Amino acid sequence: MPIGVFDSGIGGLTVFKALASQFKDTDIYYLGDTARVPYGNKSKETIIRYSLECATFLKENFDVDLLVVACNTASSYAVETLKKYLNIPVVGVIEPGVEAAVAITKNKKVGVVGTQATIRSQRYKNLLEENDIDVFDKPCPLFVPLIEEGRLSGQITQLIIKDYLDELVDAGIDTLILGCTHYPLLKDEIQKIYPHIHIVDSTTTIGKFILSNKKNLKESGKRKIFITDESPSFELLKDILAPNIPVEKVELSKICSL
Ligand code: DGL
């Protein structure tokens, strides 16, 4: 049975792309809730409800036997509820990121950036602190619109990156977790400005968690992307991240069952 992957929108395609290249024979279905993005400024209750609706769509239509929550905001609030209702393994992006950062940091000072909701949840902070890490976290709400406008490099992008991150780098972090699935698209630019910082993002860390949760990886390698609304930014990022994958629009009313 296939893997289901969902995100509030298109950022999760960074995770989808990584999974598609790592698990070539596995069927993977992606749902981007583009009609209701962003989740990052919504309440906990709304994030959980939307996440349940996305997950239920994938489970009921494709009988997925593993769910990947390719959204840090949803991973911060909804994983336990999803596990309870879906009765299949659910892998969020927070634990893989924490595990990688704990393994990489030498000075035990780790920065975390994400949406307002992800940082407010303190999921990263709490898990890192359990591992005796000093955490320097910060919401970076301008990153998502910047990426969705295709501004992945250039002067404005660099200024915004510096405005958010100088403070964390000045505090002495040696590792930075990109706690939002859009942010890997800024990774090269961030690394250019701070070449000495180790950058951890969900795309490189999640594979191991899939391997320990899914038994049958040999399927027919089918892939399909579903979105709840069309938008120019979806087209732009889909061209970059998943150019040859078929896309279907699904009416929000088919997902909003709760
Ligand atoms: N995909 C979301 C995340 O990883 C960012 C976009 C949003 O706010 O919904 O947190």
Side-chain angles (χ1 to χ4, degrees), residues 242-254:
N244 302 314
I245 312 293
V247 180
E248 188 177 321
K249 186 181 164 215
V250 37
E251 289 306 322
L252 202 51
S253 57
K254 284 204 180 142

Side-chain angles (χ1 to χ4, degrees), residues 7-8 37-40 71-73 115 118 144 180-182:
D7 176 39
S8 55
V37 70
Y39 287 9
C71 172
N72 283 265
T73 306
T115 63
T118 295
V144 167
C180 172
T181 48
H182 275 70

Side-chain angles (χ1 to χ4, degrees), residues 75-148:
S75 297
S76 298
Y77 293 98
V79 169
E80 289 316 311
T81 311
L82 291 171
K83 280 183 183 160
K84 198 164 106 196
Y85 281 90
L86 262 65
N87 235 342
I88 54 171
V90 177
V91 176
V93 281
I94 311 265
E95 279 79 4
V98 167
E99 198 182 287
V102 169
I104 289 171
T105 181
K106 295 264 183 303
N107 70 1
K108 292 187 167 260
K109 290 186 179 189
V110 172
V112 181
V113 287
T115 63
Q116 303 275 13
T118 295
I119 300 303
R120 198 177 58 231
S121 78
Q122 303 211 325
R123 273 298 282 153
Y124 276 109
K125 193 175 167 58
N126 294 339
L127 288 173
L128 287 163
E129 284 179 352
E130 280 171 21
N131 288 280
D132 295 325
I133 304 283
D134 273 341
V135 182
F136 301 84
D137 57 2
K138 192 165 183 173
C140 301
L142 286 177
F143 280 175
V144 167
L146 197 65
I147 292 163
E148 298 212 337

Side-chain angles (χ1 to χ4, degrees), residues 40-56:
N41 56 11
K42 306 265 183 330
S43 68
K44 177 181 171 184
E45 292 69 28
T46 301
I47 294 165
I48 291 176
R49 179 162 58 86
Y50 287 0
S51 300
L52 263 175
E53 289 173 344
C54 290
T56 305

Side-chain angles (χ1 to χ4, degrees), residues 4-247:
V5 182
F6 83 88
D7 176 39
S8 55
I10 44 189
L13 285 178
T14 56
V15 176
F16 174 85
K17 183 184 176 200
L19 293 180
S21 72
Q22 199 174 341
F23 302 105
K24 293 206 167 26
D25 301 331
T26 310
D27 298 347
I28 308 175
Y29 294 96
Y30 178 94
L31 172 64
D33 192 4
T34 43
R36 298 188 292 190
V37 70
Y39 287 9
N41 56 11
K42 306 265 183 330
S43 68
K44 177 181 171 184
E45 292 69 28
T46 301
I47 294 165
I48 291 176
R49 179 162 58 86
Y50 287 0
S51 300
L52 263 175
E53 289 173 344
C54 290
T56 305
F57 170 81
L58 290 166
K59 177 100 195 304
E60 283 184 354
N61 288 284
F62 303 105
D63 204 13
V64 298
D65 65 353
L66 174 71
L67 181 77
V68 175
V69 184
C71 172
N72 283 265
T73 306
S75 297
S76 298
Y77 293 98
V79 169
E80 289 316 311
T81 311
L82 291 171
K83 280 183 183 160
K84 198 164 106 196
Y85 281 90
L86 262 65
N87 235 342
I88 54 171
V90 177
V91 176
V93 281
I94 311 265
E95 279 79 4
V98 167
E99 198 182 287
V102 169
I104 289 171
T105 181
K106 295 264 183 303
N107 70 1
K108 292 187 167 260
K109 290 186 179 189
V110 172
V112 181
V113 287
T115 63
Q116 303 275 13
T118 295
I119 300 303
R120 198 177 58 231
S121 78
Q122 303 211 325
R123 273 298 282 153
Y124 276 109
K125 193 175 167 58
N126 294 339
L127 288 173
L128 287 163
E129 284 179 352
E130 280 171 21
N131 288 280
D132 295 325
I133 304 283
D134 273 341
V135 182
F136 301 84
D137 57 2
K138 192 165 183 173
C140 301
L142 286 177
F143 280 175
V144 167
L146 197 65
I147 292 163
E148 298 212 337
E149 285 302 317
R151 300 286 193 126
L152 306 182
S153 59
Q155 218 177 351
I156 293 174
T157 304
Q158 285 172 8
L159 280 175
I160 294 175
I161 290 173
K162 282 180 68 56
D163 190 60
Y164 283 135
L165 300 187
D166 272 359
E167 186 187 318
L168 306 189
V169 175
D170 290 347
I173 61 163
D174 70 352
T175 304
L176 175 69
I177 298 179
L178 302 184
C180 172
T181 48
H182 275 70
Y183 299 179
L185 289 158
L186 291 181
K187 188 174 178 176
D188 291 348
E189 210 61 9
I190 296 172
Q191 195 74 82
K192 227 191 284 172
I193 301 172
Y194 311 107
H196 61 294
I197 301 286
H198 296 289
I199 299 178
V200 171
D201 74 72
S202 325
T203 65
T204 52
T205 54
I206 203 157
K208 195 176 128 197
F209 282 71
I210 305 289
L211 287 172
S212 57
N213 277 287
K214 186 162 159 60
K215 285 181 192 72
N216 180 20
L217 294 158
K218 293 244 174 291
E219 291 152 356
S220 52
K222 260 186 246 138
R223 276 114 183 65
K224 190 151 180 187
I225 294 171
F226 294 88
I227 50 172
T228 49
D229 199 10
E230 285 145 357
S231 71
S233 51
F234 169 75
E235 297 297 334
L236 180 84
L237 294 194
K238 197 221 170 239
D239 280 351
I240 297 174
L241 295 166
N244 302 314
I245 312 293
V247 180

